[in-house]
Amino acid sequence: MIPLQTTRLPWMTEDIAMFRDAARRFIEGELAPHCERWRKQGFVDREVWRKVGEMGMLLPELDEEWGGAGGNLAHQLVMVEELGRAEVPVSTSVHTIAAHYILDYGTDEQKRRWLPKMASGELLAGIAMTEPDAGSDLQGIRTRAVRDGDDYVINGAKTFITNGATAHLLVVVVRTSAEKGGKGLSLIVLETEGLAGFRVGRILDKIGQKGSDTAELFFDDVRVPAANLLGGAEGQAFAQLMSQLPYERMLLAVLAIAVIERALELTIDYTKERKAFGQTVFDFQNTRHKLAECATTAHVMRVFVNDCIQRLLDGRLDATAAYMAKSWCSEQQCKVLDECLQFFGGYGYMSEYPIARLWADARVQKIYGGTNEIMKELIARAL
Ligand SMILES: Cc1cc2nc3c(=O)[nH]c(=O)nc-3n(C[C@H](O)[C@H](O)[C@H](O)COP(=O)(O)OP(=O)(O)OC[C@H]3O[C@@H](n4cnc5c(N)ncnc54)[C@H](O)[C@@H]3O)c2cc1C
């Protein structure tokens, strides 16, 4: 499509290139054919996670000791890109973030218990932070976990939780004390199958990302062993959540660039075929100029994202750059998708056209993972 030549960075190894090819083949052959059904039912079949796990593509970045394929974060980022390109709503992003909380803060026992099953797809994970009255401002979290002997007893509600209805393992942000700031918040891991008092509410009807389940969760005197507290000490949630920020933001930035590149491919192909006024839509100067601008955005973004990935792998990606990557890439994603959709005319508004779905799917990228307004607040603090 676009003859993109970018500097070859050290992370772009032969192994990564082979992994990308294998992931693309697997996704196109085994997952993409089911997307239409998943979009209709509003979630991905649970068995699919096992399939992805068997391929070593669910948590490829984990060491073999923990059930992974011994790769690095670039393997996961490549996987997220390829899933995004193919519009496959398997949210490995949330799954990998949950795994990294456990990897970084779990006790050996917790890691042994959960990570291998997460890598194989036996356990699918979600992260439950947001509540009906607390999204951007996590200090407003009210879901309480009260210590009772060897257990915590949890009461409260969460909403907008990705994988919420299908996950078997939830990393839940709970209030363990009334202390102000982040000090009163902790992460507790819940195994949800057959868990008394735990209830999944509605799978929410979204304007996009139709195949990904986003659900309400309710906790009514849910009893969890105190051993499920992540990190073993209360009040650590903020520090634990913060430490993964660069990686989490990059998961959204790589999705943005992958989708932009896909949208451009679709739009260039379509406009070169579609005729109006005796020529192709691509032949209109407006089309060529707009697509030239979009292709330039894509190129600049690809270079930036590639550089951020290298810095992430080198342990040099600061949080501010990651906030920039998340907010800027998602903004460009929405802009480019809107430009591209326009060239499809009425067909661009039909859900059966991939461009329409990619456009609708893009919108949430500016909202979740920390809204772009919050990202800009955080960037501004570093100025
Ligand atoms: C599809 C989807 C999937 C999601 N998945 C998950 C998940 O897996 N787990 C999870 O925990 N959450 C998830 N979320 C929730 C998401 O992270 C929140 O919606 C997001 O953090 C915003 O919170 P809110 O919706 O409460 O908006 P609010 O916090 O109420 O914000 C409303 C508006 O006010 C603005 N605003 C708020 N504070 C400020 C400020 N200080 N300065 C300037 N503007 C401000 C916001 O930017 C926004 O525009 C998901 C959401 C969606 C839509």
Side-chain angles (χ1 to χ4, degrees):
M1 185 264 306
I2 322 167
L4 266 183
Q5 296 292 329
T6 58
T7 308
R8 196 183 163 97
L9 296 167
W11 70 264
M12 299 170 175
T13 57
E14 207 44 42
D15 171 56
I16 285 283
M18 278 163 53
F19 180 79
R20 186 188 290 282
D21 286 347
R24 190 170 292 187
R25 273 197 309 277
F26 169 68
I27 289 167
E28 280 171 5
E30 302 289 327
L31 305 183
H34 304 286
C35 283
E36 183 57 30
R37 189 169 52 78
W38 294 336
R39 280 194 289 270
K40 285 205 173 106
Q41 71 185 21
F43 61 94
V44 171
D45 303 326
R46 272 191 179 192
E47 313 82 73
V48 172
W49 296 89
R50 285 244 193 204
K51 239 186 193 175
V52 183
E54 274 163 24
M55 294 296 292
M57 291 178 179
L58 205 42
L59 293 173
E61 73 273 24
L62 289 193
D63 285 346
E64 284 163 20
E65 179 186 8
W66 305 119
N72 60 34
L73 294 181
H75 289 86
Q76 181 62 251
L77 293 170
V78 161
M79 190 64 191
V80 169
E81 277 198 15
E82 293 304 321
L83 289 166
R85 258 187 70 81
E87 280 188 77
V88 171
V90 171
S91 184
T92 59
S93 292
V94 167
H95 191 73
T96 176
I97 295 167
H100 284 269
Y101 290 146
I102 293 168
L103 183 68
D104 287 1
Y105 302 109
T107 59
D108 264 4
E109 201 273 327
Q110 289 174 331
K111 289 192 248 191
R112 262 197 304 278
R113 192 155 122 221
W114 293 316
L115 289 177
K117 287 184 182 170
M118 290 174 79
S120 71
E122 193 179 331
L123 281 178
L124 161 63
I127 300 168
M129 290 190 259
T130 308
E131 300 187 353
D133 293 319
S136 302
D137 184 6
L138 291 179
Q139 297 187 26
I141 282 179
R142 286 197 298 212
T143 296
R144 289 288 315 249
V146 177
R147 184 76 188 243
D148 181 32
D150 287 339
D151 294 335
Y152 280 102
V153 179
I154 303 178
N155 280 286
K158 299 283 177 184
T159 192
F160 303 144
I161 306 309
T162 303
N163 297 344
T166 34
H168 326 66
L169 192 84
L170 289 173
V171 178
V172 187
V173 184
V174 290
R175 181 159 290 292
T176 38
S177 86
E179 265 190 276
K180 290 241 174 336
K183 293 208 180 83
L185 298 175
S186 306
L187 299 184
I188 292 188
V189 182
L190 261 65
E191 289 175 71
T192 58
E193 218 138 48
L195 184 63
F198 171 75
R199 184 167 65 83
V200 176
R202 289 176 302 157
I203 293 185
L204 299 162
D205 183 15
K206 306 187 291 299
I207 60 175
Q209 302 207 344
K210 295 278 189 185
S212 155
D213 97 66
T214 308
E216 298 169 326
L217 306 176
F218 297 97
F219 309 87
D220 189 9
D221 283 333
V222 171
R223 220 163 240 285
V224 196
N228 287 24
L229 178 72
L230 207 56
E234 292 181 2
Q236 304 296 311
F238 259 39
Q240 292 167 342
L241 294 172
M242 294 289 289
S243 71
Q244 299 292 333
L245 286 182
Y247 176 46
E248 290 177 33
R249 300 317 186 242
M250 286 314 298
L251 289 162
L252 302 180
V254 298
L255 178 61
I257 182 58
V259 169
I260 284 181
E261 287 171 354
R262 177 76 186 125
L264 270 168
E265 279 171 12
L266 291 168
T267 311
I268 292 166
D269 287 350
Y270 183 82
T271 54
K272 285 187 174 177
E273 288 290 321
R274 178 76 177 170
K275 299 248 171 31
F277 297 96
Q279 58 184 27
T280 69
V281 171
F282 188 82
D283 288 330
F284 295 117
Q285 191 186 49
N286 175 64
T287 309
R288 287 183 291 112
H289 285 192
K290 289 272 188 208
L291 289 179
E293 285 170 14
C294 291
T296 307
T297 301
H299 195 150
V300 172
M301 196 192 298
R302 178 51 84 186
V303 172
F304 174 49
V305 166
N306 282 349
D307 180 64
C308 287
I309 294 175
Q310 187 63 55
R311 285 160 66 190
L312 177 73
L313 295 178
D314 295 344
R316 290 188 300 109
L317 184 67
D318 55 286
T320 307
Y323 300 141
M324 290 174 178
K326 190 272 171 182
S327 58
W328 186 73
C329 293
S330 60
E331 264 159 40
Q332 300 314 310
Q333 182 185 356
C334 289
K335 276 188 201 155
V336 170
L337 263 291
D338 202 60
E339 295 282 14
C340 287
L341 183 146
Q342 187 71 12
F343 292 119
F344 285 74
Y347 296 102
Y349 201 65
M350 299 300 127
S351 302
E352 68 192 89
Y353 274 69
I355 198 71
R357 298 193 298 264
L358 293 175
W359 176 82
D361 291 353
R363 189 59 182 83
V364 76
Q365 287 262 97
K366 297 202 282 188
I367 298 172
Y368 59 20
T371 67
N372 282 7
E373 292 71 32
I374 297 293
M375 295 297 102
K376 286 172 197 171
E377 280 298 308
L378 294 168
I379 294 165
R381 277 184 206 169
L383 301 183

